[in-house]
Amino acid sequence: MDSYIVAYDISNPKRLRKVAKVCEDFGYRKQFSVFLCRLSATDFVRLRSRLYDVIHLEEDQVLFIPLCAKCANQIESLGRPTEAADARDVVVVV
């Protein structure tokens, strides 16, 4: 799994909500238009494909910024607290 910052600038409010919903399926929100996503290669392709179907290429922009594991674990914030990069990961031991 690779970590990505997914950030977007969408010009239409309806498309903005659709893009946010797609991103929520793959990661978790860090700020209003910024998500941290841990993705397999297949999930990365699925995310890009779903977003491609929603955005208008001439008006909107989505950035996929790769992060190494060390970088993802060193994300810092000022102000409101932020969730740890792997806080939603679950390990089941049987």
Side-chain angles (χ1 to χ4, degrees), residues 25-81:
D25 289 343
F26 291 90
Y28 61 93
R29 188 182 301 270
K30 298 299 277 181
Q31 293 185 353
F32 288 117
S33 296
V34 179
F35 282 76
L36 179 59
C37 302
R38 294 188 60 205
L39 304 169
S40 66
T42 302
D43 285 338
F44 182 72
V45 171
R46 287 178 48 226
L47 173 59
R48 284 179 51 104
S49 176
R50 285 183 55 191
L51 290 171
Y52 183 86
D53 291 341
V54 172
I55 71 168
H56 286 184
L57 299 176
E58 304 81 27
E59 300 174 15
D60 304 329
Q61 183 182 59
V62 179
L63 301 175
F64 302 92
I65 304 166
L67 294 176
C68 68
K70 180 180 177 186
C71 295
N73 289 328
Q74 292 180 336
I75 292 174
E76 295 183 31
S77 71
L78 294 175
R80 292 178 290 116

